Amino acid sequence: MQVIIVKDKAQMGKTAAEIVAEGMQAKEHFVLGLATGTTPIPLYRELIRMHRKEGLDFSTTITFNLDEYVGIEGTHEQSYRFFMNRELFDHVNINKKATHVPDGMADDAEMFCAEYESMIADCGGVDCQVLGIGSNGHIGFNEPGTSLGSRTHKTALTESTVKDNSRLFEKVEDVPTEALTMGIGTILDAESILLLASGANKAKAVADAIEGPVTATCPASALQFHPNVTFVITEDAATVLKLEWVRA
Ligand code: PGA
């Protein structure tokens, strides 16, 4: 496990973008796993800058997003499809048909989730999975208590997540209460994992993930089982870490 502590969000975005770009340049049909939320925005801004200024090419890149709300269309401003278009896809030369976000409007969610797993497998698996982390240690919408072996599935959002996310909706009743998410087992199948965290409110979850016991009460702690994980975290998200090696 590699832990890179950076000064601020801008540096987090730059460091993460260098890692992603290196992978994209090394493999033609690079399969990139993507995340939504506030945290990866500096990464997406930097990738857009690299595309514009340095010619970073997305034309053969394939993407799979971690999750999506159930019951809202991809055209809804708060859907994760809409977010990805606005924050990244609309600004780079990616083939939109090669970008995958779970379909929150699927009639048969269970069948869709199985298909999503097959689509990832058919592309040869995810080469690099970008993750954020919830203050409760969740990754994707895998809330505490989710099986560490879980695959893509439909899940109910916890009350605290609905409340957190309500800031983006007109009223709390508008926040979807269910989502489709890659499972923890799905995430662990990625060749490499890049977890980003910024802000003091993430410091405990980051320490639990890296230094705590592996437990379903902190879903991100399952990453300790993965042989190729890089955490890129800001100084304020690193304050609870105890081990000296991470600061070396
Ligand atoms: P955030 O969400 O980036 O908006 O903090 C991260 C997460 O909940 O995974």
Side-chain angles (χ1 to χ4, degrees):
M1 191 175 270
Q2 199 189 357
V3 182
I4 303 172
I5 300 172
V6 295
K7 206 169 165 39
D8 53 25
K9 289 182 199 176
Q11 197 52 48
M12 178 187 74
K14 278 199 167 64
T15 303
E18 276 164 26
I19 294 170
V20 170
E22 197 180 313
M24 286 171 57
Q25 283 154 352
K27 190 172 175 191
E28 193 181 354
H29 295 286
F30 193 70
V31 182
L32 185 56
L34 295 172
T36 50
T38 320
T39 311
I41 291 177
L43 160 64
Y44 299 151
R45 298 267 154 92
E46 180 62 10
L47 288 174
I48 294 166
R49 192 199 64 76
M50 289 168 101
H51 168 68
R52 289 187 179 148
K53 303 279 185 223
E54 296 165 19
L56 181 65
D57 180 23
F58 285 77
S59 64
T60 62
T61 304
I62 299 162
T63 67
F64 285 93
N65 263 77
L66 281 172
D67 48 16
E68 178 61 285
Y69 289 122
V70 166
I72 59 176
E73 301 273 1
T75 49
H76 189 292
E77 273 193 27
Q78 296 310 330
S79 75
Y80 290 170
R81 161 55 74 183
F82 192 92
F83 174 98
M84 287 313 307
N85 288 346
R86 187 185 62 214
E87 299 297 335
L88 180 63
F89 301 153
D90 285 346
H91 311 286
V92 295
N93 66 329
I94 200 158
N95 173 7
K96 281 259 179 83
K97 290 206 174 84
T99 67
H100 307 88
V101 180
D103 179 6
M105 296 300 286
D107 287 335
D108 186 334
E110 203 174 317
M111 195 193 290
F112 177 82
C113 290
E115 275 167 18
Y116 203 65
E117 292 274 336
S118 304
M119 284 193 277
I120 296 171
D122 290 347
C123 291
V126 171
D127 290 303
C128 176
Q129 176 67 54
V130 174
L131 296 177
I133 183 169
S135 53
N136 63 0
H138 75 203
I139 47 177
F141 270 124
N142 296 288
E143 301 284 13
T146 307
S147 158
L148 301 187
S150 52
R151 309 303 307 184
T152 303
H153 62 285
K154 182 159 118 171
T155 186
L157 309 193
T158 60
E159 219 179 293
S160 74
T161 298
V162 170
K163 205 165 140 237
D164 280 356
N165 295 3
S166 67
R167 69 187 196 276
L168 302 167
F169 289 80
E170 240 171 68
K171 41 189 192 316
V172 72
E173 297 78 51
D174 293 342
V175 185
T177 54
E178 291 178 318
L180 304 183
T181 182
M182 283 188 198
I184 299 171
T186 319
I187 292 168
L188 291 177
D189 281 350
E191 186 68 24
S192 65
I193 292 175
L194 181 58
L195 186 145
L196 310 184
S198 58
N201 62 324
K202 301 294 174 72
K204 181 164 187 317
V206 165
D208 286 348
I210 297 173
E211 299 176 337
V214 174
T215 163
T217 53
C218 176
S221 65
L223 301 177
Q224 292 175 34
F225 282 131
H226 195 283
N228 189 3
V229 181
T230 304
F231 280 72
V232 182
I233 57 179
T234 56
E235 280 171 0
D236 54 356
T239 51
V240 183
L241 285 168
K242 289 192 220 54
L243 296 179
E244 282 306 312
W245 64 266
V246 298
R247 295 178 196 285

